Amino acid sequence: MAEPIAKFMSQETTVNLANCDREPIHIPGSIQPHAILMVLTEPDLVVQQITNNVASAISGGAASCLNRPLSELVESRDLDYLRRKVLPRELDEAPHYLPGMRFMGHATEFEAIVHRYQGALILELEHWPHDETAVHEEIYGSLKATLSQLDRMPTLESFCQKAAEQVKEFTGFDRVMVYRFAEDDSGHVIAEARRSDLESYLGLHYPAADIPRQARELFKRSQLRLNPDVRYQPVPLVPALRPDTHQPLDMSFCITRSMSPIHAEYLQNMGVHASMSISIVVNDRLWGLFACHHYSPRYVSHGTRMACEFLAHTLSLQVAGKEAADQHTYAEALHREHHALVAELNAAPSLPEALRCPPEGMIGGIQATGAALLFNHQVQLYGITPDEASIRKLAARLGNEVEEAVWSTDRLGERFPDLAESCAAASGTLSVRLSKQAEAYLFWFRQEETQTVNWAGEPAKAVTLGPHGDRLTPRKSFALWQETVKGRSRPWLTCEYDAARQLRQSILEHFVRHTEQLVRLNADLQERNSQLDSFAYVASHDLKEPLRGIRNYSQFLMEDFGDDLAEEAKGYTRTVMRLADRMEMLLDSLLHYSRLSRQEIQNTAVDLNECVADALEFLVSRVQESGLRITIPRPLPIVQGDSDRLCELFTNLISNAIKYNDKPVPEVLVTFETSADGTTCELQVRDNGIGIAPEHRNIVFQIFKRLHGRNEYGGGIGAGLTIVRKIVERHGGNIWIDSVSGVSTTFSFTLPVASPHAP
């Protein structure tokens, strides 16, 4: 390795798995010898770096190519195509295949690929001289047949097996494995197509350390990786560092970059001469790999590679669908159980009564060995569960350490070692938090299911030094090694997680409806409030006229007789004017609040995305001055209501997020959840401000109540949140606060979802 590159790579002296996990494989400083790599400036396309094996195509080698334009090195026809057809495209982090390219005066045609990354244009030129070991596949016919056969596979297991067989047939590799990652990043061979005389790896597990973290990240970013001969000698870049940045070239998206010496040794220990990997990425997560092995050198041409990348993209899209199809029947049963439970919620006198387990089942139909409900300081147990004290401890730990409202694990003892003994009856749990204000949880539990895992060699076996100095040498034994795994339950499925989330939403809606019933029982109180609103309206409206008179006559006094007044008298007069101004502001706010109670709410379909946009436009100067960063992860829903009032609601909440904030950059996050029946939605507006103490969370909704001094945090009269609550209530919703002092405040409120036929 070149000395300038070496200083950027950590040289560990202690041999442990961390060595491998920290290896900077994205900056190897070299490539595989079948290729030539150039780093070019734009728009002049001058060579900044080049691999020194260019001497095979250009007399004078690397030294003669540096600082020369590409037009002096390659055929003009090829350069013209590159300039006109390729460079105008979006090439950032996206390698683009080119037609063949030739160096001037050189008969060899190179397969070319180009991309941009970190300000560099990187051109890779590949030529495999041993044509008898190269794959030249008829692309479109083979790809069409492959996709057609995959479409007919009914389950994920059969889908992956057929995919492995088709990729093997398509590429001609001796072995093709579908390698799936678990939550802990260990891998499991779930499908395999191989040459008949080879030992099977089907069913084997590999520890997470076999594919380190940074390698998994590169697999996710770069979909295809080919190593036609793992016993190659790397070819370094000249110069070793980029002249413009004096840093190593980041080769994360380079197809021909040198592979890790550790990984090369790993493959050699397996007897592999050539390898290719195709990433399967589902929902932005590396779900798995097609790992292709060949036991002699093997090159795959660009045409076949393009087809493989298209195939990988298609597979990534279909894997999620196949997983969902495998769970479809169970998911339908969970849906039926959910409807039955919602009916029980409406009929039962209390939540514990509604959630009683059926004689031969579990709450919500979720397959579990036990369940528990912690509600109103009481614990209800069903089936095989930890004891009551352990349930309370678990709820306390989740409340302090887990943000998610719905959370699951299949190894509770590993997640909370101090609870392992007390929760021995529950190796797995699926939990639903019903409230943040009080400990209220619904749990499902699963007992331990002892498993026998077949590892490719003993995963915990001590490692030894290898031929690369103080570097980790992978295990040299791939014989089957079995381990009995305890302390784990059967994993929770996505459909079970979704069922728990829907049940939580239904329970929350049940409480909202129960609250509405209580409101109807207090009709007399509502009437009195209405009378008070009328009085406030009349009083504030009628008081404004004499108040303006006081303000105006004070102004006249200062203008006409100011020179005759003593300084003390002038001070008194200014105080009268200032107090009159403040009184007018209070009356305006009171009048506005009263009008909210009296005016008819417009009942139209309102796009909340437009409301937020209007609020930001109204606050544009304050947003720009503060540098507010607002995040809306997905489009907000269409609700039924009054667009002007809802814009005012968001204006007040965003204004408060800016005003009551001590962070360098104020932040606002707007999210929502729609109810199971689709009639209401719960919106959350979360800031990163100063927070609200628990004892003040009701006070802030009272009119003219400020928690801070009159001139602190930009002043104000304390009516904004009162108006926000009134707007929500006029729309038939509720509003509440979750806050952590000094960290954040979340305003959550419910609104009716617009019907499909709303105007």
Side-chain angles (χ1 to χ4, degrees), residues 10-27:
S10 173
Q11 296 298 313
E12 301 284 351
T13 57
T14 302
V15 179
N16 53 52
L17 291 177
N19 295 42
C20 187
D21 199 47
R22 289 197 294 268
E23 186 184 15
I25 58 178
H26 62 298
I27 52 170

Side-chain angles (χ1 to χ4, degrees), residues 31-277:
I31 67 168
Q32 301 174 49
H34 71 282
I36 295 171
L37 185 144
M38 299 181 185
V39 180
L40 307 168
T41 59
E42 290 190 277
D44 51 5
L45 301 185
V46 170
V47 178
Q48 275 196 317
Q49 289 177 284
I50 195 168
T51 47
N52 62 14
N53 61 344
V54 72
S56 63
I58 298 291
S59 60
S64 68
C65 296
L66 291 173
N67 300 315
R68 289 177 64 186
L70 191 62
S71 59
E72 297 179 6
L73 302 177
V74 303
E75 295 285 349
S76 59
R77 173 181 58 87
D78 299 336
L79 180 63
D80 182 61
Y81 181 88
L82 178 66
R83 285 188 181 278
R84 288 189 305 103
K85 297 291 188 179
V86 180
L87 294 186
R89 298 183 180 182
E90 177 59 59
L91 299 176
D92 288 347
E93 304 181 11
H96 184 86
Y97 291 98
L98 306 174
M101 297 185 74
R102 286 185 172 87
F103 287 101
M104 286 185 177
H106 198 279
T108 301
E109 184 174 77
F110 289 80
E111 293 192 307
I113 190 167
V114 66
H115 74 280
R116 295 187 181 98
Y117 191 50
Q118 296 184 347
L121 182 70
I122 303 173
L123 177 64
E124 298 171 82
L125 303 169
E126 296 183 81
H127 173 65
W128 188 252
H130 315 291
D131 196 63
E132 71 279 1
T133 65
V135 178
H136 299 284
E137 180 66 56
E138 190 282 310
I139 300 173
Y140 298 105
S142 298
L143 185 59
K144 182 178 179 180
T146 297
L147 295 177
S148 176
Q149 293 188 54
L150 289 174
D151 280 340
R152 295 195 293 269
M153 295 298 104
T155 66
L156 179 63
E157 181 179 316
S158 60
F159 172 81
C160 290
Q161 180 58 39
K162 179 56 70 174
E165 294 169 1
Q166 291 299 306
V167 171
K168 180 182 183 302
E169 181 178 344
F170 195 45
T171 63
F173 275 85
D174 290 331
R175 184 196 304 273
V176 176
M177 299 173 285
V178 179
Y179 184 94
R180 181 176 183 177
F181 291 106
E183 290 297 327
D184 62 358
D185 292 325
S186 64
H188 177 204
V189 180
I190 62 172
E192 179 186 49
R194 59 186 170 85
R195 209 174 65 200
S196 59
D197 60 318
L198 295 177
E199 172 191 5
S200 176
Y201 293 159
L202 183 64
L204 292 183
H205 288 71
Y206 294 79
D210 277 17
I211 302 182
R213 170 190 49 78
Q214 77 276 31
R216 289 192 297 272
E217 182 62 28
L218 286 182
F219 278 130
K220 191 174 82 169
R221 300 170 75 185
S222 184
Q223 200 162 32
L224 184 142
R225 183 85 168 98
L226 173 67
N227 299 290
D229 186 353
V230 302
R231 289 161 172 77
Y232 70 93
Q233 290 296 317
V235 178
L237 273 167
V238 179
L241 302 180
R242 287 178 57 172
D244 55 342
T245 65
H246 305 291
Q247 298 289 318
L249 177 68
D250 191 321
M251 305 174 75
S252 295
F253 297 92
C254 293
I255 301 297
T256 62
R257 72 173 183 272
S258 279
M259 63 194 303
S260 159
I262 296 175
H263 184 55
E265 183 181 350
Y266 186 100
L267 292 173
Q268 292 172 35
N269 289 342
M270 300 175 73
V272 172
H273 280 248
S275 70
M276 186 172 74
S277 62

Side-chain angles (χ1 to χ4, degrees), residues 548-603:
R548 280 195 293 270
I550 294 172
R551 176 67 171 79
N552 290 338
Y553 278 105
S554 298
Q555 181 70 31
F556 297 156
L557 182 63
M558 289 292 291
E559 291 175 354
D560 297 338
F561 303 100
D563 294 339
D564 299 329
L565 294 176
E567 285 302 318
E568 186 176 8
K570 290 181 182 179
Y572 291 153
T573 306
R574 293 190 188 98
T575 299
V576 170
M577 294 170 63
R578 187 173 64 254
L579 293 176
D581 289 340
R582 178 165 176 79
M583 179 62 110
E584 187 172 17
M585 290 174 60
L586 292 170
L587 289 175
D588 285 339
S589 296
L590 184 60
L591 186 60
H592 181 55
Y593 178 77
S594 300
R595 283 173 176 162
L596 283 176
S597 301
R598 298 165 61 85
Q599 288 180 340
E600 192 69 26
I601 290 292
Q602 298 297 316
N603 191 28

Side-chain angles (χ1 to χ4, degrees), residues 7 95 172 175 201 240 277 279 291 301 307 411 427 444 477 506 573 583 585 609 629 641 679 698 719 722:
K7 73 175 183 178
R175 184 196 304 273
Y201 293 159
S277 62
S279 303
S301 66
R411 54 195 79 177
S427 292
W444 289 267
S477 171
S506 296
T573 306
M583 179 62 110
M585 290 174 60
N609 299 285
R629 184 162 57 229
T679 59
N698 289 325
T722 310

Side-chain angles (χ1 to χ4, degrees), residues 367-445:
Q367 296 172 2
T369 52
L373 173 67
L374 172 57
F375 186 73
N376 283 343
H377 308 292
Q378 301 294 317
V379 177
Q380 307 287 331
L381 303 177
Y382 314 97
I384 303 171
T385 69
D387 59 30
E388 181 175 329
S390 299
I391 296 291
R392 295 184 184 277
K393 289 180 183 178
L394 176 58
R397 293 295 298 277
L398 292 178
N400 291 330
E401 301 180 27
V402 175
E403 283 289 327
E404 297 94 327
V406 180
W407 178 83
S408 67
T409 180
D410 60 353
R411 54 195 79 177
L412 187 61
E414 290 184 23
R415 180 63 174 82
F416 300 118
D418 56 318
L419 297 180
E421 184 175 350
S422 60
C423 293
S427 292
T429 184
L430 174 61
S431 69
V432 171
R433 187 183 63 239
L434 301 177
S435 173
K436 281 189 174 180
Q437 283 73 26
E439 284 189 348
Y441 278 90
L442 177 60
F443 297 99
W444 289 267
F445 296 108

